[in-house]
Amino acid sequence: MRDSVQLGRVAGVRVGLNWSLLIVAVLLGIGLAGSSLPSNAPGYDSWAYGVAGSLTAIAFLAAILAHELGHAVVARRQGLAVDGITLWALGGMTRIEGEAPSPAGELRISGIGPLVSLVLGLGLGGLGLALGALGWSPLVAAGLAWLGAINLILAVFNLLPGAPLDGGRLLHAALWKHHGDRLRATETVSRAGWILGLTMVAVGFVGFAFAGFGGLWLAVVGWFLMTASRAEQSQARLRHGLEGLRAADLMTPDPVRGPGWLTVQSFLDDYVFAPHPAAFPIDAWSGGVSGVVTVKQLKSVPPALRGVRRALDVAWPLARVPIVRPEQPAIEVAALMAQWPSRRALVMDDDRLLGIISPADLASRHAADLHDDPRRRGPATDLVRRGSQNPT
Ligand SMILES: [Zn+2]
């Protein structure tokens, strides 16, 4: 999830908004001003509901930010780098690099978010109820009571025991401590997250059939959980499979390379016949490597143009391919490969090409001892980005 707008730094953490959040904020504001507030605090002018609804929606976003800042600040205290927080349609996401050093660390990082929501829920809700009981400003009381309730819902929802929800991470910390096996714990909580997501999708569709759009929203959140839990599982397996390895262990050494100045047709004729690799480093006319061309790139050129365009015209130039050293840790290499569109890395010692690493080389390292289902293998995704996600 990308930031569309940067809000600046809060407590030293970069905070951004994704445009999808604006739609949700507007819908929330309209719902509050048009229905929830008038029914709980009748008798005001419509502009008063408009102002109160907008302020309440903004306060709700601030509450989500407080929840995420909790994660970010505690993660920093645990020595982890925090890349930033993004607020988007399904809540907030704190991008924490790497993993908690210990089960106790994970417990603190994950537990603080729901705790913040719980405290806000009790505090704001209590204040709203107190104001209501005293008969002071029923509109403010109704807004506060709504904020209190939504924060309590947020706390409870995030405590559901499936990754990537906070509850899933808390369960992960407990299982990790109990069995001493981090990967096994990840497998369990990602599966739980997937089942939880699937349940929400099913319940959401039934709800949609009988009660309208609220159900559809639940299904969307459930779908997101299913996808995110799968991605986490895959990343954990990959990370486990790469532990202790270096770039040299992953690479295909001395790969077949071809001249970049050949036409696409000549390249296909001379180099791409079965069995062939999915990508070739290409040579520059002046010597040395000038980039990487994939068979897919070559074949994407329409047949009529294949005799005119050169391989290097369609290839990834060297500037867009990560170059790694043979001794570089494999986990770092995988993270780089995930960030670059070419999805391949060249292993070089100064100017000398030693090998190429493809997504397939990484996929084959997925912790195979865990009865890995080959259908689930895929290229490395955001390896170092472990998001803490809080769907609302
Ligand atoms: Zn959280």
Side-chain angles (χ1 to χ4, degrees), residues 64 67-68 71 92 94 109-115 117 154 158 164-167 169 388-391:
I64 294 179
H67 174 121
E68 296 301 326
H71 290 309
T94 306
I109 295 171
S110 307
I112 186 70
L115 189 66
S117 296
L154 205 60
N158 274 294
L165 295 174
D166 295 329
R169 303 212 189 286
S388 148
Q389 294 151 43
N390 298 284

Side-chain angles (χ1 to χ4, degrees), residues 1-89:
M1 194 49 52
R2 289 173 191 282
D3 292 350
S4 307
V5 184
Q6 290 292 335
L7 289 187
R9 286 177 180 273
V10 183
V13 181
R14 207 150 46 91
V15 178
L17 285 185
N18 182 271
W19 64 268
S20 59
L21 180 77
L22 294 179
I23 299 173
V24 174
V26 168
L27 288 177
L28 260 182
I30 291 173
L32 279 163
S35 132
S36 173
L37 294 177
S39 61
N40 288 311
Y44 288 87
D45 288 339
S46 55
W47 66 265
Y49 291 122
V51 171
S54 311
L55 289 178
T56 309
I58 291 168
F60 172 57
L61 300 186
I64 294 179
L65 180 59
H67 174 121
E68 296 301 326
L69 277 172
H71 290 309
V73 168
V74 176
R76 278 206 172 154
R77 286 219 187 123
Q78 299 287 323
L80 297 173
V82 176
D83 190 38
I85 293 172
T86 301
L87 299 177
W88 66 302

